Amino acid sequence: MTQQGVRWTTDQVLALAPDAVSRKAGSKLGTAGPWSETGSSDEGTVWGLCKGSGSKPYQTVVDVADASGPAYRCSCPSRKFPCKHALGLLLLWSGGEVAVPTGQAPDWAEQWIAARRGRTQEKRETGSQGAGSADPEAARRRAERRAERVTAGATELEQRLADLLRSGLATAEQAGYGLWEETAARMVDAQAPGLAARVRELGAIPSSGPGWPVRLLEECALLHLLDQGWLHREHLPAALAETVRARIGLPASPAGPPLRDDWLVLAQYDTADPKLTTRRIWLHGTASGRTALLLSYGAAGRAPELALPVGLTLDAEVTAYPGSGQQRVSLGEQFAPPTPTGIRPPGVTTTEAAARYGDALRGDPWLDSVPITLDAVIPTPDGRTWQLADADEDTALPLTPAATSRPGLWRLIALSGGTPVKVFGEHGHRGFTPLTAWPTGPGEAVRLC
């Protein structure tokens, strides 16, 4: 049930947009002009008719109280979730009671909501039964066959790395990208997608600028370490062995008891490749203090359906995945829809942030970054790049090259205005990537990604 009278802010609605194009198009529809018969219910349903290019208006309905995050239905042909009409409707709803009054949902909206919530309840009741119906012996045999393929692939990769070092790193520049792509394809055949991804990353290093041989050697060393971890996994501590499995790309299931908390949505952003769109949603447990990561996926060109507005909290259960230092969790039962909050995550200094990344590497040497909230930092220019300077210490963290090229940097600079701000982001060996920021005084979370 939604809290009566509680409506999201504009930033929280736009945080749901699958891309910048949808964000811009949805903003244009966030006015009363194209809309008619709009309404909302205390149960978390928002609906309306939006005039389009055809003779019939688009029927748009959003369930902001859905247990797996906001759910959308629109009669438009768009394949994006949410589409621009759903975003426009939510923006209109965020404006208050005048634009979208409380009322009784029309039949077309009520039927969709009832059917969706019925399916959700059915999945909840039958999910555990379905999970236990698989043949465990067949699953064990499949896992053994895959492990044998991965072992063969890791052994072959070790030989190729040894050949590269024996002939000299300069040969990598002469061979071109084709050699790496062929090796990556062999790792895909070995059912080790994690190894394939790291091999493709190696292929982009030669001729990438000054110092590339050093970077290539470092990445080859990490890849060799991952290979050796797999080949000698029976000698590793259980948690580290699970981390190796995850880095290799083997599937894993959530393990352990679920943790219920009021989870603050810290950040949400997408990364895409030709085959898949991956959405990362960072959560902070307000009671447990735990930082957790939700991953969801969509086919190429389509955004994942799971979307949670940044800056809101949701009362829900999560279950952790195995592995040392792993933050990934699975979202379980959600007891209430996301609601606005004034809670902010506790922060650390820039010195403590660097130490946390170093500590995390002991449990997962292949970790690119860790989630960090920085307290009282000021965005400061540093030559041609930028850094986050600690307001209370003579230290700073450099921003990653990717962060300095995004519009979010200028939003952060404008929010700061030369004064300290609280910033959440990911910190690793390439620097700090800011994702969300809060002003020193009262104010909503500002999304930077």
Side-chain angles (χ1 to χ4, degrees):
M1 300 287 287
T2 63
Q3 298 178 14
Q4 187 172 359
V6 175
R7 303 195 182 210
W8 300 347
T9 67
T10 297
D11 281 345
Q12 289 160 352
V13 172
L14 291 179
L16 302 174
D19 51 44
V21 174
S22 298
R23 193 175 299 117
K24 183 177 180 180
S27 297
K28 293 181 179 179
L29 294 176
T31 60
W35 292 96
S36 61
E37 300 183 28
T38 57
S40 63
S41 70
D42 290 338
E43 288 73 30
T45 307
V46 187
W47 62 84
L49 301 177
C50 185
K51 184 178 180 181
S53 56
S55 57
K56 293 184 178 181
Y58 296 125
Q59 296 177 339
T60 307
V61 57
V62 182
D63 182 9
V64 298
D66 188 89
S68 58
Y72 320 93
R73 188 265 179 187
C74 185
S75 58
C76 76
S78 175
R79 298 180 62 189
K80 295 182 179 180
F81 295 95
C83 67
K84 63 181 181 180
H85 306 101
L87 288 171
L89 178 61
L90 287 177
L91 288 172
L92 194 65
W93 169 70
S94 70
E97 183 78 14
V98 175
V100 183
T102 302
Q104 179 64 41
D107 290 342
W108 57 267
E110 192 62 46
Q111 291 171 2
W112 178 79
I113 290 295
R116 181 173 182 86
R117 291 181 177 171
R119 290 193 298 270
T120 300
Q121 181 63 27
E122 183 179 354
K123 288 180 181 179
R124 185 179 298 120
E125 293 173 353
T126 62
S128 58
Q129 299 175 5
S133 62
D135 182 353
E137 180 60 25
R140 184 189 64 80
R141 290 195 298 268
R142 287 194 298 271
E144 288 181 350
R145 288 194 297 269
R146 181 167 186 177
E148 291 173 357
R149 295 191 187 98
V150 173
T151 297
T155 302
E156 179 182 348
L157 183 55
E158 282 292 276
Q159 184 60 53
R160 296 197 176 200
L161 289 175
D163 291 343
L164 172 63
L165 296 178
R166 188 179 300 111
S167 58
L169 295 179
T171 59
E173 187 176 27
Q174 299 166 3
Y177 189 76
L179 172 65
W180 303 102
E181 185 57 39
E182 190 269 336
T183 303
R186 296 284 294 170
M187 296 305 104
V188 172
D189 293 340
Q191 294 186 291
L195 292 180
R198 298 190 80 91
V199 168
R200 290 193 175 97
E201 291 174 359
L202 287 181
I205 296 176
S207 304
S208 61
W212 71 261
V214 174
R215 295 194 298 274
L216 181 60
L217 184 60
E218 291 172 346
E219 293 302 321
C220 284
L222 285 173
L223 187 53
H224 167 69
L225 183 64
L226 183 55
D227 275 342
Q228 290 297 310
W230 171 262
L231 295 174
H232 301 88
R233 59 193 181 280
E234 66 275 7
H235 302 300
L236 298 178
L240 183 55
E242 289 292 346
T243 299
V244 169
R245 289 176 55 87
R247 292 299 180 186
I248 289 286
L250 297 184
S253 300
L259 173 62
R260 182 175 178 178
D261 206 336
D262 286 325
W263 297 96
L264 171 65
V265 184
L266 292 173
Q268 173 182 295
Y269 69 93
D270 296 348
T271 56
D273 60 34
K275 296 182 179 180
L276 195 69
T277 299
T278 302
R279 173 163 293 166
R280 298 168 67 88
I281 302 176
W282 284 108
L283 305 174
H284 167 71
T286 58
S288 65
R290 180 189 178 112
T291 301
L293 174 66
L294 289 174
L295 293 179
S296 58
Y297 303 94
R302 298 192 64 176
E305 289 195 27
L306 178 62
L308 298 174
V310 174
L312 272 62
T313 58
L314 64 154
D315 179 7
E317 289 181 340
V318 302
T319 304
Y321 280 78
S324 56
Q326 298 296 304
Q327 278 103 14
R328 186 184 177 189
V329 298
S330 172
L331 182 62
E333 184 174 358
Q334 189 172 332
F335 302 96
T339 56
T341 180
I343 296 175
R344 299 179 180 184
V348 299
T349 66
T350 54
T351 300
E352 291 170 327
R356 283 195 180 185
Y357 179 55
D359 291 340
L361 288 176
R362 288 202 295 267
D364 185 353
W366 309 277
L367 193 63
D368 286 330
S369 61
V370 293
I372 293 287
T373 300
L374 296 174
D375 252 342
V377 290
I378 303 171
T380 308
D382 180 24
R384 294 186 177 181
T385 185
W386 286 80
Q387 61 184 5
L388 294 179
D390 200 303
D392 301 318
E393 297 182 356
D394 188 23
T395 57
L397 293 180
L399 296 187
T400 58
T404 59
S405 63
R406 295 174 181 168
L409 172 61
W410 303 109
R411 296 189 73 183
L412 176 60
I413 295 169
L415 178 69
S416 167
T419 62
V421 291
K422 181 187 287 283
V423 182
F424 170 78
E426 297 171 346
H427 177 59
H429 63 280
R430 296 183 181 89
F432 189 90
T433 300
L435 301 174
T436 308
W438 295 262
T440 301
E444 302 285 347
V446 176
R447 191 179 183 216
L448 307 174
C449 57

